[in-house]
Amino acid sequence: MVEIKTAKTHKGKRELEKRAPKLVESGKKTLILHGTRTSSVLKAVLSEIYHLKKESAIKYSRKNDNIKPFESGGETSLEFFSLKTDCSIFVYGSHSKKRPNNLIIGRTYDHHIYDLVEVGVENFKSMESFSYDKKLAPKEGSKPFITFIGEGFENVEELKHLKEVLLDLFRGAAVENINLAGLDRAYIFTALSSNRVFLTHCALRLKKSGTIVPRMELVEVGPSMDFVVRRHCPPNESIKKGAMKTTREKPKKKEKNVKKDAIEGKVGNIYIPDQKIGDMPLPNKAKGVKRERREAKLKNASGEHEHASKRKKEDL
């Protein structure tokens, strides 16, 4: 029997609620890991990916010997880290003679391996190698434009799969509305061939155009590199079906006695039953009645006094 541990503190319960499935999921977090051997180029690539996703990324700098995503049994440690950090995307870097500057990007579903893409990094240029006005540097956490250029992203299966993974890696949380002033960066992916993709990161400069829509200019700020596709593992159909499953939104209940008007907007009718005020019993001791009686007594008393004084005068 496996012992199931439950949260005993309020903080633990809140953490479990955050990790529970939601109808609308929040942004995905990225886990960045190092392999047994990593080159200086690969370390720079992993650190700059972490810098681009600093608000939604967790980076481990220690070497991990047991992680081998494409081998059976080699994903156990990776799934453990995914469960521990609550990350659904991971980037794993390793370097060997057979596969130099190797980068594995993958996604998890229910903290189990969903799919994998292995690419080699070539022609890497870091952010420091680009010279530009530092005022144009994109802000942390800003939403990016993501552009995929080339027919390979629609025709070649490996590039189609790579496009899905890269889109999940760089897009961040899904939003419905966005401020134009907050768009200050763009990721541009260009398919150079059936297995090579060029990535460049640019800052957006807004300039006057004489109209409401400003004119945009791209300033390359780095990093830039070539991705050479080596291996890829698409998701299983049964796992994909479960991951794509969504719940139907509950239909809204019909509002009674409510109608919408183009001018007045939402108009509601309220039913008020007959209150029958004339038949309502009044209390016997009413303050208004007492006051009227006192005023009547005073009037009668003053009238009798005047009548008595007139009689006395007539007798005299």
Side-chain angles (χ1 to χ4, degrees), residues 42 66 75 83-84 134 200 208 236 247 280 282 315:
L42 204 57
N66 301 325
E75 71 277 0
L83 179 62
K84 182 181 178 181
K134 299 303 178 183
T200 183
K208 294 181 180 179
N236 191 5
T247 58
M280 292 176 63
L282 297 174
D315 293 338

Side-chain angles (χ1 to χ4, degrees), residues 245-276:
K245 192 175 181 180
T246 57
T247 58
R248 294 181 179 178
E249 296 182 358
K250 294 182 179 179
K252 295 182 179 179
K253 293 183 179 179
K254 187 178 179 181
E255 294 179 311
K256 296 181 180 180
N257 300 323
V258 174
K259 60 183 180 180
K260 292 183 179 180
D261 188 25
I263 299 174
E264 297 181 359
K266 193 175 182 180
V267 181
N269 298 327
I270 301 174
Y271 172 70
I272 301 175
D274 188 9
Q275 298 181 3
K276 299 179 181 179

Side-chain angles (χ1 to χ4, degrees), residues 103-116:
L103 207 65
I104 298 176
I105 308 171
R107 296 178 289 181
T108 61
Y109 169 66
D110 196 17
H111 304 296
H112 295 287
I113 298 297
Y114 178 72
D115 60 351
L116 298 167

Side-chain angles (χ1 to χ4, degrees), residues 157-208:
E157 289 297 326
E158 290 83 357
L159 295 187
K160 286 173 67 176
H161 188 197
L162 180 62
K163 176 183 176 181
E164 293 179 5
V165 175
L166 292 175
L167 193 61
D168 265 357
L169 178 64
F170 288 105
R171 71 175 178 180
V175 294
E176 295 181 357
N177 299 319
I178 191 168
N179 188 2
L180 185 61
L183 292 170
D184 58 358
R185 70 173 71 200
Y187 295 108
I188 301 172
F189 299 93
T190 307
L192 303 177
S193 64
S194 60
N195 67 337
R196 183 180 290 269
V197 174
F198 173 66
L199 160 66
T200 183
H201 178 221
C202 299
L204 291 175
R205 179 188 292 176
L206 302 180
K207 288 194 170 184
K208 294 181 180 179

